[in-house]
Amino acid sequence: NREEIPVSRTTFTPITDFTELDLSPPLAKAIVRAQYTTPRPIQAETIAPALAGHDVLGLAQTGTGKTAAFAIPTIEHLLAHQKKGPRGLVIGPTRELVTQIDQEFRKLTARTKICTMTIYGGVSEKPQIQKLERHPDVVCACPGRLLDLLGRGFVDLSRIETLILDEADHMFDMGFLPDIRGILQPLPEKRQNLLFGATMPNKLRKLAEQILVDPFVSEIDHSMPAKTIEHALYPVIEKLKLKILRHFIRQDDFDSAIVFTRTKRRARQLAEKLGKDGHRAVGLQGNMSQSQRDKAMAGFRTRRFDVLVATDIASRGIDVTDISHVVNFDIPDTVDAYTHRIGRTGRALHTGEAFTLATPDDASVVRA
Ligand code: AMP
């Protein structure tokens, strides 16, 4: 019930072409080079209000083009005048996501002087500290490591002009709220806030109310990606799951799949079993080191692997298009998690299939 958040009264007509925005030439050219010919719905709705300086609350999933939706107005603002950074701060839940955000910023700031960097845990902090000393314009960070570096005086957030919270709902689920509150402390009171998430649970609405001032709210139709997805439910007993999965992989229309398991251990074991069968499968789960995770992702992107066996958390924010199948080897815990998982197929107008293996124990989730 988002009516409770005071919503900006100003109305903006959605743009139909990026040229309507009258962006600085280097940014306009980068958009053309990226081959973003038509604005995606979230971009059509939110870029103009963000450029006008409004706070924005965007309800949109990964894959809808939301990164460019917040990157474009942030970059335009940075290009308007030169000042010492960091001036833009993006916070996201996972290393994979902040890396993708950083890449999107780089794509759109090529041939400008704007400099971006990532901060996340699980890797050496020294290179990150050294980059911070050079005053990057935009910092894309996971909450934990950022708060750590902040506490030890390696980050100065007193010049932040735009704060972006991406996948805010996931950060909430992952228990990052106290860290985020800590990060908000040193930020200047006067700043622009852009908050994005796929869903708006009650707990998150509270935070949004505290952070956003008179926001422009945009909600992108959640059923949209689902229109290109076929859903199928297979009632099974636990010990038949592997056999059925092998059957899916052998079908003619099988191209690539993300297979979701409930636990890290099951992800690892299933990837190993499929590998022994001769399938090109790789696991992606939280117990892997950063370089192992990067390798798995790169291998899946370049099709060295065609099956990625992942847990929910490890897979968050991953943007790989062209996945033909999502298989819920274990049923997700919640309806939201289902939407997130199957959102990985049927992207960018490709069609996809979402298969869910449900055991008798899963009856209540199936009903939901
Ligand atoms: P995101 O939701 O930000 O993860 O974006 C999903 C994908 O869509 C990314 O690979 C972007 O490069 C791509 N993308 C974003 N905006 C557009 C656009 N207007 N036209 C075509 N592709 C886009």
Side-chain angles (χ1 to χ4, degrees):
N1 186 5
R2 64 190 168 87
E3 279 80 3
E4 283 169 32
I5 300 174
V7 172
S8 177
R9 301 277 162 258
T10 328
T11 52
F12 288 85
T13 315
I15 55 162
T16 54
D17 197 297
F18 286 112
T19 52
E20 292 166 41
L21 297 169
D22 213 7
L23 298 167
S24 306
L27 179 55
K29 279 185 200 147
I31 292 171
V32 173
R33 269 200 310 277
Q35 296 182 316
Y36 296 174
T37 41
T38 315
R40 295 272 175 84
I42 187 80
Q43 298 164 353
E45 287 195 7
T46 63
I47 297 178
L51 282 172
H54 286 278
D55 279 6
V56 169
L57 172 63
L59 295 176
Q61 298 183 27
T62 295
T64 54
K66 69 180 164 57
T67 316
F70 60 71
I72 290 170
T74 305
I75 295 165
E76 180 64 21
H77 182 73
L78 292 172
L79 288 171
H81 46 256
Q82 277 193 354
K83 272 192 204 167
K84 197 166 159 189
R87 296 165 59 199
L89 175 63
V90 190
I91 305 179
T94 62
R95 306 177 265 206
E96 283 81 6
L97 183 71
V98 300
T99 304
Q100 277 170 26
I101 295 169
D102 179 68
Q103 281 162 359
E104 184 82 17
F105 266 95
R106 280 168 200 253
K107 188 155 72 177
L108 295 173
T109 56
R111 299 179 213 187
T112 72
K113 285 188 182 148
I114 292 175
C115 168
T116 68
M117 71 167 292
T118 52
I119 291 183
Y120 47 75
V123 294
S124 161
E125 58 181 32
K126 210 167 156 203
Q128 297 177 356
I129 292 169
Q130 283 166 347
K131 276 191 197 149
L132 280 167
E133 281 165 0
R134 293 201 289 272
H135 296 283
D137 299 290
V138 181
V139 172
C140 306
C142 290
R145 172 64 65 90
L146 178 64
L147 189 66
D148 178 19
L149 296 180
L150 193 64
R152 287 151 57 216
F154 290 116
V155 197
D156 177 5
L157 297 181
S158 66
R159 284 184 293 270
I160 296 296
E161 294 164 33
T162 310
L163 168 73
I164 296 145
L165 296 178
D166 194 15
E167 298 204 353
D169 46 346
H170 285 159
M171 293 202 279
F172 218 104
D173 293 344
M174 293 166 81
F176 283 138
L177 189 61
D179 287 3
I180 290 171
R181 289 199 191 285
I183 293 163
L184 294 179
Q185 286 278 322
L187 296 183
E189 193 110 328
K190 194 176 160 309
R191 58 168 198 265
Q192 184 176 33
N193 303 288
L194 311 176
L195 192 149
F196 286 81
T199 56
M200 191 62 180
N202 275 335
K203 308 165 284 187
L204 182 62
R205 185 161 337 113
K206 260 199 202 139
L207 178 78
E209 279 169 16
Q210 286 164 8
I211 295 180
L212 300 172
V213 183
D214 198 19
F216 180 87
V217 179
S218 166
E219 187 167 7
I220 296 308
D221 182 6
H222 283 250
S223 63
M224 209 179 77
K227 282 177 194 152
T228 57
I229 299 173
E230 264 176 48
H231 307 250
L233 184 80
Y234 292 78
V236 292
I237 50 167
E238 183 64 42
K239 74 175 192 221
L240 280 182
K241 282 184 171 179
L242 182 59
K243 205 166 167 194
I244 291 179
L245 177 62
R246 286 179 179 136
H247 173 76
F248 293 153
I249 297 175
R250 283 196 303 267
Q251 295 305 301
D252 284 345
D253 65 348
F254 177 86
D255 181 45
S256 62
I258 301 191
V259 177
F260 286 95
T261 62
R262 192 165 15 240
T263 64
K264 299 183 231 183
R265 181 150 167 253
R266 281 172 69 82
R268 178 174 54 79
Q269 289 175 340
L270 183 58
E272 280 168 13
K273 272 188 205 143
L274 292 172
K276 279 195 191 123
D277 282 357
H279 295 299
R280 296 181 294 138
V282 67
L284 182 76
Q285 35 85 10
N287 285 348
M288 291 161 65
S289 71
Q290 183 60 29
S291 75
Q292 284 173 322
R293 284 160 69 154
D294 290 345
K295 247 190 229 154
M297 273 312 303
F300 188 60
R301 273 213 180 89
T302 57
R303 292 296 163 85
R304 199 154 57 80
F305 302 112
D306 51 19
V307 180
L308 181 74
V309 188
T311 55
D312 286 297
I313 292 198
S315 76
R316 272 174 186 176
I318 290 172
D319 174 42
V320 182
T321 41
D322 286 339
I323 297 164
S324 66
H325 291 72
V326 168
V327 180
N328 293 313
F329 193 77
D330 296 323
I331 204 163
D333 293 334
T334 63
V335 177
D336 271 350
Y338 180 83
T339 312
H340 281 294
R341 285 182 179 187
I342 57 125
R344 321 248 157 229
T345 183
R347 283 258 189 105
L349 306 179
H350 294 282
T351 52
E353 288 181 295
F355 295 155
T356 301
L357 309 187
T359 65
D361 288 347
D362 301 329
S364 68
V365 186
V366 170
R367 251 196 314 277

